[in-house]
């Protein structure tokens, strides 16, 4: 039984297969490869893109999807998460897609070895399907990402997108640099910059990140207009540089990325969302059919 807790669960060959399958699925709708499969989603945190993207991916491949709304589930009556999960597994799904505020939850459930566990975002630790769709989007654009430089800009310390992205993209041979004001900067061996201007001429990709206010026990930063003056990705800051702009969403307009920049062809935010479906189709195929 294979799980996806983070991208290190996949071998290099499997990642190459995922990129290949996602590209094939994007070029041509696949047959209903997962016709007899059933997935359950269990999202303990809010989600727009990831949950619907998994559902669309599963349905495009012919799988059935059941959503459990934790705010109306028996976890509210005091049932432990492990018991809720075990009860869902008794209904024999082929996989459970979980999002949780605790870093360790997907690993814990995966270790129960009851069904394939797919991490749809855990705390600030991992968001593997986002990392894979970001990789797919960059591979699609550049062909080869090895040797390219990506600047991750924003609330890096609280971001699971950054955590998974750093692990996967460095593994793929990309140079990752971190750009953030001090309160948003994690401890890291990667090159760190307080000002984007100091590195912008060397980067091929900027990944902008939202301030993860829901993860800040007390406010880390008190003036987001001031923050935007230095970190908002806008046309003035980018000039005519040939830089790809990514963001996992939700975008805080004119704080993370300006309105005008969101319409610029260099900005791939909606392409990332589109690609998310294809990479999740490839992930479901790998986990439910090929492993
Ligand atoms: N949607 C991403 C996540 O779930 C990024 C974000 O919320 O800022 O981590």
């Amino acid at each position: 039984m294979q799980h996806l807790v983070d991208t290190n669960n996949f071998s290099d060959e499997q990642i190459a297969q995922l990129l290949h399958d996602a590209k094939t699925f994007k070029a041509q709708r696949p047959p209903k490869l997962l016709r007899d499969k059933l997935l359950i989603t269990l999202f303990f945190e809010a989600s727009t893109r990831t949950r619907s993207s998994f559902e669309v991916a599963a349905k495009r491949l012919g799988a059935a999807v059941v959503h459990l709304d934790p705010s109306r589930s028996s976890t509210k009556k005091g049932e432990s998460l492990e018991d809720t999960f075990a009860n869902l597994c008794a209904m024999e799904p082929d996989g459970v897609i979980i999002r949780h505020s605790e870093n360790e939850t997907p690993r814990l459930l995966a270790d129960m070895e009851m069904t394939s566990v797919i991490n749809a975002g855990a705390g600030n630790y991992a968001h593997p399907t986002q990392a894979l769709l970001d990789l797919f989007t960059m591979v699609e654009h550049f062909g080869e990402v090895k040797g390219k430089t990506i600047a991750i800009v924003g609330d890096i310390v609280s971001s699971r997108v950054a955590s998974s992205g750093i692990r996967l993209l460095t593994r793929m041979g990309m140079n990752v640099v971190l750009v953030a004001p001090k309160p948003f900067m994690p401890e890291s061996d990667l090159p760190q910059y307080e000002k984007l201007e100091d590195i912008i001429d060397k980067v091929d990709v900027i990944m902008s990140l939202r301030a993860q206010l829901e993860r800040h026990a007390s406010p880390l930063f008190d003036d987001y207009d001031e923050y935007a003056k230095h970190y908002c990705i806008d046309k003035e800051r980018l000039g005519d540089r040939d830089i790809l702009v990514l963001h996992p969403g939700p975008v805080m307009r004119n704080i993370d990325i300006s309105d005008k920049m969101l319409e610029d062809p260099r900005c791939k935010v909606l392409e990332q969302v589109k690609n998310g479906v294809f990479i999740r189709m490839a992930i479901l195929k790998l986990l439910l059919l090929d492993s």
Side-chain angles (χ1 to χ4, degrees):
M1 185 181 300
Q2 183 157 13
H3 306 285
L4 176 57
V5 174
D6 198 20
T7 52
N8 57 9
N9 293 130
F10 290 147
S11 64
D12 290 349
E13 292 70 33
Q14 285 178 316
I15 289 175
Q17 184 67 44
L18 288 176
L19 295 173
H20 173 269
D21 283 348
K23 186 175 173 191
T24 312
F25 293 160
K26 192 170 181 178
Q28 197 175 15
R29 290 269 166 87
K32 308 275 184 214
L33 299 169
L34 302 182
R35 202 177 292 109
D36 304 321
K37 306 290 184 187
L38 170 70
L39 288 155
I40 299 181
T41 70
L42 190 51
F43 276 59
F44 287 87
E45 281 191 339
S47 171
T48 300
R49 280 149 290 271
T50 307
R51 198 184 102 158
S52 48
S53 178
F54 265 116
E55 180 167 1
V56 171
K59 289 187 170 165
R60 288 232 191 282
L61 291 172
V65 183
V66 170
H67 299 293
L68 181 73
D69 175 359
S71 67
R72 292 161 195 248
S73 75
S74 289
T75 46
K76 286 275 165 207
K77 298 182 189 166
E79 186 174 55
S80 76
L81 177 61
E82 289 89 334
D83 283 341
T84 301
F85 178 71
N87 278 270
L88 292 176
C89 290
M91 299 178 209
E92 302 189 337
D94 298 284
V96 169
I97 300 165
I98 173 117
R99 169 169 287 192
H100 203 275
S101 57
E102 295 292 327
N103 290 358
E104 288 311 313
T105 298
R107 160 64 46 222
L108 203 129
L109 301 183
D111 287 347
M112 291 167 73
E113 291 296 341
M114 296 184 80
T115 191
S116 180
V117 170
I118 304 164
N119 180 1
N124 69 355
Y125 158 66
H127 194 346
T129 62
Q130 181 71 46
L132 287 160
L133 79 87
D134 291 342
L135 174 65
F136 178 49
T137 303
M138 288 185 277
V139 168
E140 191 175 48
H141 185 83
F142 295 116
E144 168 72 82
V145 295
K146 196 167 172 200
K148 299 282 180 202
T149 299
I150 180 168
I152 303 184
V153 180
D155 185 3
I156 304 167
V157 71
S158 311
S159 169
R160 55 192 171 214
V161 175
S163 313
S164 272
I166 289 168
R167 288 191 286 272
L168 179 66
L169 302 178
T170 51
R171 175 178 166 194
M172 294 295 129
M174 289 187 80
N175 308 311
V176 180
V177 304
L178 309 181
V179 180
K182 283 205 178 69
F184 285 173
M185 190 65 90
E187 276 188 27
S188 169
D189 296 336
L190 296 170
Q192 305 189 353
Y193 298 87
E194 216 167 329
K195 290 195 191 126
L196 185 55
E197 282 63 30
D198 290 344
I199 182 71
I200 196 162
D201 285 321
K202 300 210 174 86
V203 309
D204 304 289
V205 185
I206 290 174
M207 179 193 283
S208 167
L209 297 174
R210 174 182 71 95
Q212 307 279 302
L213 301 179
E214 70 276 27
R215 269 175 248 295
H216 302 165
S218 55
L220 290 186
F221 212 81
D222 33 48
D223 186 350
Y224 281 96
D225 289 333
E226 191 54 33
Y227 169 87
K229 274 190 206 152
H230 301 281
Y231 299 97
C232 181
I233 310 303
D234 58 20
K235 293 224 182 197
E236 293 66 42
R237 190 155 273 132
L238 232 60
D240 57 7
R241 294 178 183 88
D242 187 14
I243 294 176
L244 214 63
V245 177
L246 305 181
H247 193 299
V251 176
M252 297 296 107
R253 281 178 175 264
N254 303 311
I255 295 177
D256 304 342
I257 303 179
S258 71
D259 287 340
K260 284 227 175 79
M261 194 66 225
L262 282 165
E263 286 164 17
D264 189 290
R266 290 170 291 180
C267 183
K268 299 295 174 194
V269 172
L270 292 181
E271 198 61 27
Q272 288 172 272
V273 177
K274 182 183 282 192
N275 285 340
V277 172
F278 300 114
I279 203 79
R280 290 188 176 99
M281 288 166 76
I283 291 166
L284 294 176
K285 170 178 173 279
L286 192 157
L287 292 174
L288 273 48
L289 215 59
D290 301 341
S291 327

